[in-house]
Amino acid sequence: MLELDSGCTPPKWKRPEDVMKMHRMKMKKRALQARFVKSMDTNPPGEVPTGRMPISQRSPAKNPFRRKTPVKNKKQMDARDTLKRARVEYDDDNACTSNLSKLIRDCESIPSVTSYSQYPALDESVISFVDVLRTVNAVACVEDDVEEIKGEGQLPIDWTLRTKVRFLSPNPFPWSQKIKTCEEASATTGFVRCLDTENIENSLDTSPNSRFHQCCMAWQHPSLPWVDLIHRGPRVAIKDSASAVPSINANPFFKESLFTHWIDSFRSLFQLVRANQCPYFYVLANAFTCTFRASSVGGYEELNAMIYPTTQGLRDVLKREDIEFTMPLLEEDEHSSEIFTKKTLEDAKTGEDEEPERWLETMGAEKSEIKRLQSSQSELVSSRQRKIDSTKESLVVVTGVEAQALFNWLINCRSTVSNTGPHAGIPPTLLAPVAFTGATLTPLKVRQSTVKVDGQSYNSIEVKGPVLPDAVYNFCDLLSTSLKKFTATFANLESTKPFTLASESKKEYCNSQKSEDKAIHLFGQQNLSDCGLRDSVLKKFCSASTKAFDSVKYTKDDGYFIS
């Protein structure tokens, strides 16, 4: 064995400081190689890399012996800084402009997006700047080519009863408020006989003045000139302008005589609707408004009637009278309408709650506690049903033989007559487009004038009175054939608005009917040929194309715009 000196190290062993020295050399070598590669990437082609940072990128060496020049004026310093920043911004703008120009030139050399079929090797994600501009221009051209919104060719039917309508037009109307004797006679004859003076040959005066005044009439019962019988109902505020006039209740003979004549008129009008000799009529009662419509009118195949507004008490009375009804505007989880039928009434009478009551008895509950639970449950149900009182959801619809039952109930119901107020002792008002027993021919009040709106003069015609749905259609039809543009604004009887909403809900059902069901409506339209409406108007009333509106704008080119 070799003897080792304590002060030396074996030849094959490495000392720690030698290992660290070799490690430092490797690290410096790697850093030098990385710097060399980076300089190769940044240097332009043909330039030999030196491994050092370019002189232009080096920060200038600081002279430690440099004397600082004092700033004599702060304004000069600020001006110098401003000039320096302006030069930098100018250089940046030039660089951005040159880069953008270069980008556009490069993008123009890239194939268009539409030419991928010629270059299948290109990726579809490559989109040139020029293609983007072309796409934007194409979208702008498409937006310019969009056609303007057109109005409706014909006015939809609205079952809302109007109390006033005002027509405005920049052009003069083809008629005047001053009507001649022959024009007034022809207008009255044409309305009473339900003649279509425009399309049927006759010896009557067919001037625009006569045709316009033929639309300004309605049949009404009773007719009391000193009392406004149109604006009645719980939702309309009525000024007691007839406080000095003695009430009908003051004389029982007058009250009974008036109600007896009303029964005759109501029965005559209902028979006309059943025989398809009258399309519809309105009943303006003390607490609600009702409309009866003939079969095939409003999308219903049978005779139908609507009542609004209703309360829980009124609906309970209809149930006790075994009158089946639906509530089409009441939204439920499974059904779109709440149906009360005789079967549900019989089930309620037999008592379906006997099983829960027996179960509670078997559980040891006392009878007093069971009655308390039942009363609380019924009170909860009643409170839920009372929430819809006097809302649009409270509208009630009856059809078929149930409409006959509703008529029998109304004709014997004395609660439809008010006992107080200006309408005390006066039976409900009946309004219809055709004549009936005891009806009074009521002319509408017409006033013609000139008004200014936004500095522009317009010709105005205001019609006041019971404007029925067919009269609105006749007015607009006559104006559309005489004027290039006009607007119409309506004042509505709010208690009749839900009638149109119920017809709109029926429209979806009618549109989904089969061809044979639609043939039934065509057959019903033929049966209503003598109901007093013109053929074009009758076709609209037999369809389900209804829509509520408060104003109408008409132009010759675009049609009707409603809102």
Side-chain angles (χ1 to χ4, degrees):
M1 294 183 61
L2 296 176
E3 294 182 1
L4 300 176
D5 188 6
S6 61
C8 64
T9 305
K12 294 183 179 181
W13 289 11
K14 295 181 180 180
R15 292 183 298 176
E17 54 267 20
D18 296 336
V19 175
M20 294 302 300
K21 186 176 180 180
M22 292 295 295
H23 179 69
R24 293 190 193 98
M25 290 180 65
K26 290 181 179 180
M27 293 296 295
K28 290 180 180 180
K29 185 177 180 181
R30 292 176 182 174
L32 183 61
Q33 290 178 353
R35 186 181 301 177
F36 180 78
V37 172
K38 185 176 181 181
S39 62
M40 287 290 292
D41 295 337
T42 56
N43 289 336
E47 184 177 348
V48 179
T50 59
R52 298 182 180 181
M53 184 180 296
I55 298 176
S56 60
Q57 299 181 4
R58 298 178 187 176
S59 59
K62 294 183 180 180
N63 187 4
F65 301 100
R66 182 181 179 183
R67 181 181 178 183
K68 297 182 180 180
T69 56
V71 180
K72 296 182 180 180
N73 192 352
K74 186 176 182 181
K75 294 183 179 180
Q76 295 179 359
M77 186 64 181
D78 295 340
R80 191 180 305 168
D81 294 341
T82 303
L83 182 59
K84 187 183 296 184
R85 287 195 299 270
R87 289 177 179 175
V88 173
E89 291 176 358
Y90 180 75
D91 294 339
D92 293 342
D93 292 341
N94 289 339
C96 292
T97 303
S98 61
N99 292 336
L100 181 59
S101 301
K102 182 180 179 182
L103 177 61
I104 294 176
R105 289 195 300 271
D106 295 340
C107 291
E108 288 178 350
S109 62
I110 299 176
S112 175
V113 178
T114 58
S115 62
Y116 284 137
S117 59
Q118 300 176 3
Y119 302 91
L122 292 177
D123 186 9
E124 294 184 359
S125 62
V126 180
I127 301 177
S128 66
F129 185 75
V130 178
D131 285 335
V132 174
L133 294 178
R134 291 174 183 170
T135 305
V136 173
N137 293 333
V139 172
C141 294
V142 171
E143 292 179 354
D144 294 339
D145 295 338
V146 175
E147 296 182 358
E148 296 182 358
I149 299 176
K150 295 290 184 179
E152 300 182 16
Q154 293 182 343
L155 189 69
I157 297 298
D158 188 352
W159 288 99
T160 305
L161 184 63
R162 320 288 185 172
T163 59
K164 186 188 298 184
V165 57
R166 186 178 188 181
F167 299 99
L168 293 178
S169 176
N171 302 321
F173 295 103
W175 50 78
S176 61
Q177 190 172 358
K178 297 180 181 180
I179 185 172
K180 300 179 182 179
T181 304
C182 60
E183 293 175 343
E184 183 178 4
S186 297
T188 304
T189 303
F191 179 79
V192 172
R193 297 181 183 178
C194 301
L195 298 178
D196 187 1
T197 57
E198 181 182 1
N199 300 320
I200 299 178
E201 295 183 2
N202 50 69
S203 59
L204 300 178
D205 191 319
T206 58
S207 63
N209 210 10
S210 177
R211 291 169 54 195
F212 174 76
H213 284 276
Q214 184 177 345
C215 303
C216 301
M217 298 181 189
W219 293 100
Q220 175 181 336
H221 180 86
S223 179
L224 305 177
W226 63 90
V227 182
D228 185 5
L229 299 178
I230 307 301
H231 296 83
R232 62 189 305 171
R235 298 170 64 88
V236 181
I238 305 173
K239 295 183 180 179
D240 190 0
S241 59
S243 57
V245 179
S247 174
I248 301 296
N249 287 337
N251 193 325
F253 175 77
F254 289 166
K255 182 178 179 180
E256 282 297 325
S257 178
L258 192 60
F259 194 80
T260 301
H261 282 75
W262 178 83
I263 292 177
D264 296 336
S265 299
F266 189 23
R267 181 180 288 108
S268 170
L269 196 51
F270 182 74
Q271 296 297 336
L272 288 172
V273 170
R274 285 189 59 187
N276 293 330
Q277 302 299 316
C278 176
Y280 66 90
F281 68 90
Y282 289 89
V283 182
L284 308 183
N286 176 44
F288 56 85
T289 302
C290 180
T291 178
F292 285 83
R293 304 187 299 187
S295 60
S296 302
V297 174
Y300 290 85
E301 298 180 2
E302 298 179 298
L303 174 69
N304 58 90
M306 299 182 183
I307 306 176
Y308 176 82
T310 63
T311 60
Q312 181 60 34
L314 177 58
R315 295 191 293 270
D316 290 341
V317 170
L318 297 179
K319 294 177 188 179
R320 289 195 296 268
E321 295 293 330
D322 292 343
I323 300 176
E324 299 180 10
F325 62 89
T326 60
M327 304 178 71
L329 300 182
L330 181 62
E331 297 181 356
E332 291 184 327
D333 297 336
E334 298 180 356
H335 303 284
S336 60
S337 62
E338 181 180 355
I339 303 175
F340 299 97
T341 62
K342 294 180 179 179
K343 184 178 184 303
T344 57
L345 295 174
E346 293 175 357
D347 294 341
K349 292 177 181 178
T350 54
E352 289 184 348
D353 296 335
E354 292 183 358
E355 291 187 1
E357 183 177 351
R358 292 178 180 178
W359 181 80
L360 290 174
E361 290 179 356
T362 57
M363 296 297 296
E366 298 181 358
K367 292 185 178 181
S368 59
E369 186 67 19
I370 294 174
K371 291 182 179 180
R372 188 185 66 82
L373 291 175
Q374 290 178 346
S375 60
S376 61
Q377 181 68 19
S378 60
E379 181 63 26
L380 179 61
V381 173
S382 299
S383 63
R384 291 177 179 175
Q385 294 178 352
R386 283 195 299 267
K387 288 183 179 180
I388 65 173
D389 289 354
S390 300
T391 63
K392 65 178 183 179
E393 288 80 8
S394 66
L395 179 133
V396 166
V397 177
V398 296
T399 58
V401 295
E402 305 303 326
Q404 176 72 52
L406 178 63
F407 165 76
N408 295 334
W409 175 74
L410 288 174
I411 209 169
N412 297 313
C413 181
R414 294 301 181 101
S415 62
T416 58
V417 182
S418 176
N419 294 322
T420 58
H423 298 144
I426 301 176
T429 306
L430 303 176
L431 296 172
V434 297
F436 57 95
T437 301
T440 302
L441 182 60
T442 304
L444 308 183
K445 298 180 181 179
V446 181
R447 186 179 66 177
Q448 189 169 353
S449 61
T450 303
V451 297
K452 283 190 175 182
V453 180
D454 297 334
Q456 184 176 358
S457 298
Y458 289 90
N459 297 280
S460 170
I461 286 186
E462 184 178 285
V463 181
K464 186 178 181 181
V467 183
L468 299 177
D470 64 303
V472 174
Y473 199 92
N474 291 333
F475 275 130
C476 294
D477 192 16
L478 179 61
L479 289 169
S480 63
T481 58
S482 305
L483 301 173
K484 292 183 178 180
K485 59 174 64 176
F486 68 88
T487 59
T489 308
F490 304 95
N492 306 320
L493 189 64
E494 296 298 326
S495 60
T496 59
K497 267 193 172 183
F499 297 158
T500 305
L501 301 179
S503 299
E504 289 179 357
S505 64
K506 184 70 175 177
K507 177 169 59 176
E508 298 180 358
Y509 169 74
C510 292
N511 292 336
S512 62
Q513 284 182 324
K514 299 180 181 179
S515 59
E516 56 267 19
D517 296 329
K518 294 184 179 180
I520 295 176
H521 287 287
L522 295 176
F523 181 74
Q525 181 179 341
Q526 184 65 28
N527 290 338
L528 288 167
S529 58
D530 295 329
C531 69
L533 299 180
R534 296 186 295 120
D535 292 339
S536 58
V537 181
L538 179 60
K539 183 178 180 181
K540 276 290 183 180
F541 273 81
C542 289
S543 66
S545 59
T546 58
K547 194 170 185 180
F549 54 86
D550 296 328
S551 62
V552 174
K553 180 181 179 181
Y554 174 81
T555 58
K556 200 74 172 180
D557 299 330
D558 300 330
Y560 292 97
F561 294 91
I562 60 177
S563 60

